[in-house]
Amino acid sequence: MASLIECDDVWKIYRVGDVDVQALRGLSLTIEQGEFVAIMGSSGSGKSTLMNMLGCLDQPTKGHYRLNGVEVGRLTPDELAGIRNQQIGFVFQSFNLIPRTSALENAQLPLFYRGLSLKEQRVKAAEALGRVGLHGREDHYPTQLSGGQQQRVAIARALVTSPSLLLADEPTGNLDTQSSQEIMRILETLNRDEGITIILVTHEVDVAAYAAREIVIKDGQILSDRKTKAGPISSPVGA
Amino acid sequence: MAAFVWLTIMTALRILGRNRMRAGLTMLGIVIGVAAVIAMVSIGEGAKRAVQAQIATMGTNVIIIFPGVTSASGVRGSQGSAITLTVSDALELKKRIPLLVDTGWSRRDVLQIVYGNKNWNGPIYGISPSYLTIRDWSFTSGGPFTQTDLDSAARVALIGQTIVDNLFEPGEEPVGAVIRIKNVPFRIIGVLAPKGQSSQGTDQDDVIFIPFSTAERKVFGTSFIGSVAAMFGSTDQVEDLPMAAEQIREVLRARHRLQAEQGDDFTIKTQVDIGKVQEGTSETLTMMLFAIASVSLLVGGIGIMNILLVSVTERTREIGVRMAVGAKRYHIVMQFLIEAMTLSLVGGVLGIVLGVAGAKLTTLIAGWPTIISGNVIVISFFFSLVVGLFFGLYPANKAARLNPIEALRYE
C-alpha cells in the first residue's frame, strides 16, 4: 500500500515583482497513514507553503506530490476542491468559522458541498460536534462561543467528512493555555483512536510535543526529521 | 443539487434579512423599474382600449368620404365646403363596388329644437336609413325609419340621449312625442343607444336623425338637390378597407370626370386610418415610458452588481473557507448568482405589487382606465430575474476566481 503523502523533489517558486521567491526548494517527504506530524519552522521558512500544498490548496511548481497515490500537480481547481472535500480537513489558527451561522451549519458545510441531503448533513454534523464535546451547542453562533469552543467547531467541520488527513495550521495560536491543551487532546484522541493522520504546524514546542514526529523546515528544505515517540502514541508528559 | 440550491436560497435570504436596509435600498431600483413598467403599461393599455372602443363607436369597417373644398379665386373654403358628392354618387358606388356592403349619406345643420316649453340647439342629420347600420347605431326604445319614410319625406325623428336629457323630464317616454324643428313638427320614433364621446372628443349622443329627403325638402333648404355632406360605406372585412377606398376613388374620379393631372375633389378616410393616428399617439407614449423603465431597471441592476461586489470583498475569507472545505467554482458562482437573483426577484415582486397598486390607484383617483395584463406581470418577473442573472454574473465570477490561499489570508 502506498504512503498517504509522497513529496518528491517539490519546488514552489513565486514571482513577487521581478524577483523569484523559492518557497520550497526540492523538498522530499513521505508521511504514512495514521501518523501525527508536527511541522516547525520560523516564519518565512516555507512551512505555510508546504501546508497549503499538502492541503491541495496549492500545487507545486516542480516535482511531484502524490496524495493517496494521486498526482496532485495535474489536477484542475475543481478536482482539487473535490479532493479537499473528500480527503482533507482543515483547522486554522483563526478558526475561520462562517460568521452569523450556527455551529451545526458550520460543521455541515463540507457535506453541503458534497451534496448530501439536508437530513444527512445535520445528523453527521451533530455527531461530529458531539465528538469534540460540543453536544447541545449546535445552535450557538460563533460569537456565543469561546475561542476554544470555536476551534472545536472547526475541528468538527474538519472531521465531519471522515477525512484521511487533518491539517492544523497553528490551531492553538489564538488560544489560552487551557484551551490549547483541550484542543491538542482532542487531536491526539482522533489520531490515536480513529487513526486520522494529523499534520500540525506550530512554533510552540509544547504543542509540537503531542506529535510523534517532528519535521523542522528552514529555507524551503527539511532541516531535521525525527521521531519523537516510538510506536503507538502515548499521552505526552505534562499534558 | 436540489438540496444545494435550496440551502443556497435560504442562505441568501438570511443574508439579505440581516442587511435589510442595504437589501432594500439595493432593490429599490428594480422595484421602481418594475412598478413603472407595470403601471405605465396598464395605463397605456387602458388608454389604447378606450381609444379602440371610441373608434368602434364609429361603426364597423367604415369608410367616410367627404367632399372637397370650394375654391373661389384662389380662396379655399373649409373641408367639405364643395358640393361634389351626391346621393347618386353613393348609389352608384354601391352598384359598382361589390366590396361595399352598403353605402349611406348624410347632411348636417345645427338648428333649434323645441319640445313643450324647452328648447335645445343640436345638430340635425338628414340621413339615409343605411347610415344607421353602417355607423352601428342601436336603440334604447323605438326603432329606425325605413326606406318608405325616406321616399315619402316623413316627418319622423330619432334622437340621441343628450337630446332626451335636455328636452324631456326624467322618466318621460320620448317615443311618440312630437318636437318641432324650425317649426316643422316631427314625431319621435326612436331613442338612440348612447355612444359616448367620439375619438375627437365630441358628444356623439347630441344628435337628431331625420330622413334625408325630409331634411332636404322641409328643414335645411338647399340650392342643389341631392348633394350630401358625407358619404359612408362599409365592408365585411377590415382588410378590405384599403382596397374598397381605392375603388371608391377610381369610381368617383371617373364620375366627376377628373383629368389625370387634377387632384381628387373629395377625401376618403377609413376607420383604420383614424385608428392608426390615435393608436400611434399611445404607442409613442408607451415606448417612451418603456425607455424610462428600462433605464430604471438598468440602474437597479448596476446597484445589485455594486452591492454584490462589496459583499464579495466583505466575505472574502468566507469564500476562502468554503473553497477550502471543497466548494467548487460553480458552487461559489451559484451562491452569488442566487443572491443576486433573490435580490432582483424580491425587488421584482415588490415592483409588481406596487405597479398593480399604482395602476388601480390611477383608476381610482384620476379615473383613467387601466388594464393590468398577465403578460406584463410575467414579463416583468422574468425581466427582473434576467437583470439579477446578468448583473450577478460579474461579482459571482470574481468570487469564484479568488485564490483560496489568498482569500483565507484576507483581513
Side-chain angles (χ1 to χ4, degrees):
Chain A
M1 164 128 188
S3 305
L4 178 66
I5 286 170
E6 288 174 291
C7 290
D8 185 11
D9 191 27
V10 166
W11 290 72
K12 184 71 199 181
I13 301 161
Y14 295 108
R15 198 164 178 89
V16 180
D18 295 338
V19 192
D20 281 339
V21 178
Q22 297 177 327
L24 295 177
R25 301 197 290 182
L27 184 144
S28 296
L29 173 68
T30 304
I31 294 172
E32 304 297 334
Q33 183 75 50
E35 283 198 76
F36 191 164
V37 182
I39 295 178
M40 300 187 73
S42 56
S43 62
S45 61
K47 63 181 193 306
S48 291
T49 307
L50 178 62
M51 277 301 262
N52 287 336
M53 214 186 57
L54 294 179
C56 295
L57 287 164
D58 205 350
Q59 287 166 304
T61 318
K62 263 195 306 191
H64 302 282
Y65 166 39
R66 280 183 292 274
L67 177 68
N68 267 330
V70 175
E71 180 65 55
V72 170
R74 295 208 196 94
L75 301 178
T76 64
D78 275 357
E79 285 169 331
L80 289 175
I83 292 214
R84 291 195 297 267
N85 186 252
Q86 300 290 328
Q87 305 192 25
I88 301 170
F90 289 95
V91 178
F92 303 96
Q93 177 176 0
S94 50
F95 323 138
N96 274 338
L97 297 181
I98 294 186
R100 286 168 288 199
T101 302
S102 72
L104 187 71
E105 284 170 302
N106 263 293
Q108 271 172 248
L109 201 61
L111 300 176
F112 172 60
Y113 289 118
R114 199 178 266 196
L116 293 192
S117 75
L118 187 56
K119 202 177 153 194
E120 269 182 285
Q121 289 180 29
R122 287 209 174 122
V123 169
K124 290 198 173 186
E127 188 222 3
L129 285 174
R131 276 159 74 189
V132 296
L134 284 179
H135 189 73
R137 311 251 169 177
E138 287 87 351
D139 294 330
H140 284 51
Y141 287 89
T143 45
Q144 297 169 309
L145 297 170
S146 72
Q149 287 170 327
Q150 287 187 51
Q151 193 61 300
R152 281 194 269 164
V153 174
I155 294 172
R157 181 177 67 194
L159 278 182
V160 77
T161 59
S162 314
S164 43
L165 175 61
L166 197 150
L167 292 172
D169 190 352
E170 306 260 14
T172 59
N174 285 3
L175 299 176
D176 59 50
T177 314
Q178 201 201 328
S179 301
S180 296
Q181 286 175 358
E182 279 170 24
I183 294 299
M184 290 317 298
R185 272 198 290 269
I186 289 169
L187 292 181
E188 187 181 39
T189 311
L190 288 172
N191 174 254
R192 188 184 56 218
D193 296 351
E194 302 183 30
I196 295 173
T197 311
I198 296 177
I199 301 178
L200 170 77
V201 166
T202 185
H203 56 262
E204 291 169 69
V205 179
D206 52 340
V207 169
Y210 284 86
R213 179 178 169 190
E214 187 187 280
I215 297 171
V216 181
I217 308 275
K218 195 183 178 195
D219 297 332
Q221 287 173 319
I222 293 175
L223 187 70
S224 73
D225 182 352
R226 63 192 177 92
K227 287 232 192 292
T228 49
K229 284 173 207 156
I233 295 126
S234 58
S235 202
V237 183
Chain B
M1 191 62 197
F4 170 76
V5 171
W6 175 243
L7 280 173
T8 307
I9 291 171
M10 297 316 288
T11 309
L13 283 174
R14 205 168 50 192
I15 287 166
L16 299 181
R18 275 206 300 262
N19 295 314
R20 257 183 225 118
M21 182 75 174
R22 191 158 105 176
L25 288 174
T26 307
M27 286 188 289
L28 210 55
I30 301 283
V31 173
I32 291 171
V34 169
V37 170
I38 304 250
M40 294 316 165
V41 170
S42 301
I43 292 167
E45 281 296 308
K48 207 153 123 190
R49 194 73 63 90
V51 167
Q52 279 167 351
Q54 274 179 346
I55 289 166
T57 61
M58 282 177 60
T60 316
N61 311 330
V62 176
I63 301 176
I64 305 176
I65 307 135
F66 299 109
V69 296
T70 51
S71 182
S73 339
V75 179
R76 298 166 85 192
S78 63
Q79 169 130 322
S81 56
I83 309 166
T84 54
L85 296 179
T86 61
V87 172
S88 51
D89 279 336
L91 294 172
E92 183 73 5
L93 286 176
K94 190 181 176 187
K95 205 157 68 190
R96 297 271 300 275
I97 303 170
L99 275 178
L100 289 176
V101 177
D102 211 345
T103 56
W105 53 90
S106 72
R107 274 189 63 189
R108 174 184 182 276
D109 205 346
V110 177
L111 294 170
Q112 194 185 50
I113 310 131
V114 179
Y115 173 69
N117 59 358
K118 290 183 179 170
N119 71 84
W120 180 252
N121 269 284
I124 318 287
Y125 286 83
I127 59 164
S128 66
S130 52
Y131 178 94
L132 294 169
T133 42
I134 294 171
R135 300 300 299 266
D136 268 352
W137 282 101
S138 53
F139 295 87
T140 44
S141 63
F145 41 71
T146 58
Q147 189 62 37
T148 323
D149 293 323
L150 191 71
D151 294 342
S152 63
R155 288 186 298 239
V156 291
L158 310 171
I159 62 174
Q161 192 57 45
T162 304
I163 309 287
V164 175
D165 294 341
N166 283 289
L167 290 185
F168 293 88
E169 297 299 327
E172 196 179 349
E173 177 54 62
V175 173
V178 174
I179 55 171
R180 302 178 85 83
I181 302 169
K182 257 182 130 183
N183 262 331
V184 181
F186 278 84
R187 191 164 49 84
I188 294 170
I189 59 168
V191 175
L192 299 157
K195 277 194 178 189
Q197 277 188 4
S198 77
S199 51
Q200 279 84 28
T202 54
D203 179 4
Q204 297 186 93
D205 300 318
D206 186 8
V207 72
I208 295 181
F209 292 138
I210 57 176
F212 187 81
S213 48
T214 320
E216 210 171 31
R217 290 174 217 164
K218 293 171 183 162
V219 185
F220 297 170
T222 183
S223 53
F224 191 91
I225 291 291
S227 83
V228 300
M231 297 198 304
F232 303 85
S234 66
T235 59
D236 250 343
Q237 306 292 328
V238 73
E239 294 79 29
D240 292 336
L241 283 174
M243 172 77 101
E246 190 47 43
Q247 290 176 356
I248 288 168
R249 188 166 167 267
E250 279 166 28
V251 170
L252 287 178
R253 282 186 69 90
R255 276 182 64 82
H256 297 178
R257 298 198 180 79
L258 296 175
Q259 303 299 313
E261 72 277 6
Q262 280 180 283
D264 295 342
D265 58 355
F266 51 87
T267 311
I268 303 174
K269 278 187 182 165
T270 68
Q271 199 168 11
V272 176
D273 301 333
I274 295 162
K276 263 184 197 149
V277 177
Q278 305 288 339
E279 276 173 29
T281 318
S282 62
E283 211 106 289
T284 312
L285 197 73
T286 307
M287 283 311 289
M288 211 176 70
L289 296 168
F290 188 74
I292 294 169
S294 302
V295 169
S296 184
L297 280 179
L298 182 76
V299 172
I302 293 170
I304 287 182
M305 180 155 79
N306 182 41
I307 216 69
L308 275 167
L309 285 173
V310 171
S311 179
V312 168
T313 308
E314 279 178 351
R315 286 154 64 196
T316 299
R317 258 182 111 92
E318 177 191 323
I319 295 164
V321 173
R322 287 176 183 275
M323 286 174 159
V325 303
K328 296 191 165 124
R329 288 196 167 187
Y330 79 85
H331 287 126
I332 304 290
V333 169
M334 284 291 280
Q335 182 183 343
F336 282 92
L337 271 191
I338 286 173
E339 247 170 73
M341 287 196 288
T342 307
L343 267 173
S344 66
L345 271 188
V346 173
V349 169
L350 284 178
I352 288 170
V353 171
L354 209 69
V356 170
K360 296 255 183 238
L361 220 65
T362 307
T363 308
L364 213 67
I365 293 172
W368 296 357
T370 53
I371 293 165
I372 295 151
S373 76
N375 269 352
V376 73
I377 289 178
V378 171
I379 290 169
S380 301
F381 188 79
F382 181 74
F383 214 79
S384 46
L385 195 79
V386 169
V387 165
L389 193 70
F390 183 78
F391 289 98
L393 268 176
Y394 174 66
N397 268 313
K398 198 182 166 194
R401 273 203 301 270
L402 286 174
N403 177 330
I405 298 168
E406 283 165 23
L408 280 168
R409 223 182 276 149
Y410 185 85
E411 290 298 331

